[in-house]
Amino acid sequence: MNFDDIVALDKADVLASKRDEFDLPANTIYLDGNSLGALPKSVKSRVAQVVSEQWGSHLIRSWNDHQWIDLPTQVGEKIAPIIGAEKGQVICCDSISINLFKLLSSALILNTGRSKVLSTQDNFPTDLYMVQGLSDLLGTDLCQLKLVEEQYIEQHLTDDIAVLLLTQVNFRTGKLLNMQKLTELAHKKGILVIWDLAHSAGALPVELDKCNVDFAVGCGYKYLNGGPGSPAFLYVAKRHQSAVKQPLSGWMGHAKPFAFDAQYECAASINQYLCGTPSVIAMSALDAALDVWESVKISDVRAKSIALADVFIALVHSHASLADLRLSSTEDSIQRGSQLAFSHNHAFAICQALIEKGVIADFRAPNILRFGFTPLYTSFEDVWNAVNTLVDVVTTKLYAEPRFNLAGKVT
Ligand SMILES: *Cc1c(COP(=O)(O)O)cnc(C)c1O
C-alpha cells in the first residue's frame, strides 16, 4: 500500500464532507474519538445561544419557550434511530453509571426470585462497580455479581441468572459481541439483558428492537460527540415499560412533576427513568451534536470504520520496526468495534510521545495502546500519517525520554 492508494481511498469516501462539520485543531491527528468525540461546529453556536439568549435573556421562561423541559425526550428520540429503536423507548439523562443503577434495579425487580447478575471479567469497571454497590445495598440474597471470561458467557447462561450485563464492544480490545445471539440465548433461560453501548452507539449498526433487547445504556461524549461529561442515554423496551420500576424516584420521573404532590407516582412512559433536573447546557450541546447524523447511513460509518482499521493494521504490519507492537484486537473486522488495541511494554511512553507529535491516541492499563477510528472525521490520510509518526517514535526510541514516562491524573 502506498500513498496514492490512501489518496484514492479518501477520494472515494462518501463521508468525507462530514469532516467539515467538525472543529478539529490544526496539526493534530485525533484517534481518540472513542474516549471523547471531537467538537461539532454546530455545538459552539448552540451553546452560545443557550447561554446568552435563552438563559441570559429569557431566564426561567425558557423551560417552556425554548422547550428545555423536553430535551431529555427530544435528545432520546434523536439517538433512537442510531441504535435501532422505535419511538418512546430512549431517554437522555444522567451518566451511564447512574443509568445502570436504575436499569439493574428494574431488571432485578422484574426477575424476582433470581439474584445473579452475570457479566464479564474485563467489562468496563464502572459497570461492575455499580453491581457491587447494589449488592452491598440489597444484600447478596437479592443481588450478586458473577464474572466470567468473555469467551465463556454462553456456558454460564443458566436459569439461576437474573440479568446478563454486557458491553457490546470491549473497551480495551475492541472485541464485538454478538448481540442477537447472546440476547436470544439469555431469553431462553429467562434472563433479562442489559447492553452497554458506550463503544457502539455511533460506531456501528445497533438493532436493539430487532434483537429483542430488554435494556440498554450508552454514552453521549464518545462517538456521539456531545462533549466532556455529556449526558448518557438509556433504553427500555416498550413491552417492559408498564411493569418496570426504578428506585431513583426523583420528581422529573413523576407522572405530574408540577403537581408537587407529596406522593410519588411514576410516569407511565420512559420518562419514569428521569430523576432530577436535566443539565440544560450539556443536553443542548448533545442535541446540536446529533444533527451531524442527519442523512448519515450507519452502514457507511461501519464500512469506513472497518476500512480505516484494516489500513492501519496493514501499514503497521508493513513496517518491520513495529514488530514489537502486538495486536490485541482480532484481525477479523466483523468481530471488532471501531478501535484497535496494541500491546507493548512501553505503551504508556509511546502514547505520550505520539501525543507530543500531534497524534492523539490513548493508553489503557496495563500495556495497551489504543487507536479509535471515528469515520465522520477520520481520514485515510490521518491513518497513514499516524502510522508514520508511530514508526518515527519507535525507531528513534523517542519514547524512552523521561518526560514521556510521567503519568497524569487521567490516562
Ligand atoms: C465510557 C464508558 C462508561 C462511562 O460511564 P459514565 O458513568 O457515563 O462515566 C461506561 N461503560 C463503558 C463500557 C464505557 O466505555
Side-chain angles (χ1 to χ4, degrees):
M1 186 169 297
N2 59 36
F3 189 64
D4 289 343
D5 301 323
I6 298 293
V7 171
L9 284 166
D10 276 328
K11 252 198 165 146
D13 174 14
V14 293
L15 295 172
S17 67
K18 281 280 154 188
R19 188 180 172 99
D20 287 340
E21 294 182 33
F22 290 85
D23 209 343
L24 297 164
N27 306 318
T28 300
I29 296 169
Y30 193 59
L31 299 179
D32 211 6
N34 53 325
S35 260
L36 174 66
L39 170 64
K41 290 175 182 165
S42 59
V43 169
K44 281 173 111 172
S45 48
R46 176 72 177 274
V47 169
Q49 184 199 20
V50 169
V51 170
S52 20
E53 283 176 41
Q54 300 183 3
W55 177 20
S57 305
H58 296 255
L59 290 163
I60 201 155
R61 286 169 293 173
S62 294
W63 283 104
N64 284 320
D65 294 356
H66 297 289
Q67 294 87 44
W68 286 354
I69 198 68
D70 298 325
L71 277 169
T73 36
Q74 179 181 316
V75 174
E77 292 306 354
K78 275 192 190 175
I79 295 169
I82 299 174
I83 53 175
E86 286 295 330
K87 279 190 172 307
Q89 304 177 104
V90 182
I91 196 148
C92 178
C93 50
D94 305 313
S95 61
I96 287 192
S97 306
I98 291 175
N99 289 336
L100 280 172
F101 183 87
K102 300 178 212 169
L103 295 184
L104 283 161
S105 307
S106 294
L108 286 167
I109 295 168
L110 272 185
N111 229 348
T112 304
R114 300 185 185 193
S115 60
K116 289 186 183 142
V117 177
L118 182 69
S119 194
T120 53
Q121 195 76 47
D122 59 346
N123 196 348
F124 192 83
T126 206
D127 297 46
L128 307 181
Y129 299 162
M130 294 313 292
V131 184
Q132 290 165 21
L134 198 55
S135 181
D136 287 346
L137 179 71
L138 299 176
T140 48
D141 285 351
L142 294 177
C143 176
Q144 54 179 306
L145 179 61
K146 178 173 177 176
L147 294 177
V148 292
E149 298 285 332
E150 211 168 62
Q151 67 268 34
Y152 303 125
I153 301 167
E154 289 181 28
Q155 289 97 300
H156 287 86
L157 296 174
T158 46
D159 57 16
D160 57 337
I161 306 288
V163 184
L164 176 63
L165 170 64
L166 295 175
T167 295
Q168 193 186 12
V169 176
N170 183 296
F171 78 105
R172 282 199 191 86
T173 63
K175 176 78 197 300
L176 172 66
L177 296 179
N178 188 328
M179 179 181 281
Q180 177 135 33
K181 184 175 172 202
L182 288 166
T183 304
E184 205 177 297
L185 288 172
H187 284 171
K188 279 196 182 139
K189 299 287 179 182
I191 302 167
L192 292 165
V193 184
I194 305 176
W195 284 99
D196 184 334
L197 308 177
H199 294 278
S200 341
L204 46 94
V206 177
E207 298 283 1
L208 293 181
D209 285 348
K210 215 186 255 173
C211 294
N212 216 16
V213 167
D214 302 289
F215 304 97
V217 290
C219 203
Y221 55 79
K222 290 172 178 160
Y223 293 91
L224 299 183
N225 314 305
S230 178
F233 63 87
L234 64 82
Y235 162 95
V236 178
K238 201 97 201 187
R239 64 183 178 281
H240 292 314
Q241 286 183 13
S242 55
V244 287
K245 272 205 150 325
Q246 66 97 1
L248 297 183
S249 44
W251 70 311
M252 286 290 152
H254 193 281
K256 293 183 192 128
F258 292 92
F260 296 105
D261 197 329
Q263 183 58 43
Y264 184 75
E265 184 198 329
C266 75
S269 63
I270 186 81
N271 286 42
Q272 80 147 294
Y273 283 87
L274 294 178
C275 182
T277 307
S279 173
V280 170
I281 301 171
M283 220 172 269
S284 301
L286 178 56
D287 186 48
L290 287 164
D291 289 341
V292 168
W293 294 90
E294 233 173 83
S295 79
V296 169
K297 281 204 242 138
I298 299 280
S299 53
D300 288 338
V301 170
R302 178 64 171 157
K304 183 175 171 188
S305 153
I306 288 174
L308 287 165
D310 282 347
V311 168
F312 196 102
I313 294 172
L315 291 173
V316 167
H317 287 342
S318 72
H319 292 281
S321 59
L322 298 181
D324 286 345
L325 277 173
R326 295 250 164 261
L327 185 64
S328 325
S329 309
T330 169
E331 298 237 8
D332 178 6
S333 57
I334 303 298
Q335 294 189 59
R336 217 171 49 211
S338 200
Q339 67 190 59
L340 289 175
F342 293 88
S343 62
H344 191 285
N345 287 342
H346 299 286
F348 177 77
I350 291 173
C351 185
Q352 299 308 304
L354 280 174
I355 292 171
E356 189 180 272
K357 290 187 143 283
V359 175
I360 302 185
D362 66 19
F363 164 79
R364 283 294 173 264
N367 64 344
I368 296 282
L369 185 57
R370 218 170 51 147
F371 300 94
F373 304 96
T374 41
L376 298 187
Y377 54 88
T378 305
S379 67
F380 290 91
E381 193 176 334
D382 284 339
V383 165
W384 172 268
N385 290 331
V387 175
N388 285 343
T389 308
L390 186 56
V391 169
D392 196 31
V393 163
V394 170
T395 51
T396 61
K397 288 212 163 17
L398 178 67
Y399 64 82
E401 294 191 12
R403 69 180 187 284
F404 298 126
N405 289 277
L406 303 166
K409 221 172 180 181
V410 176
T411 55

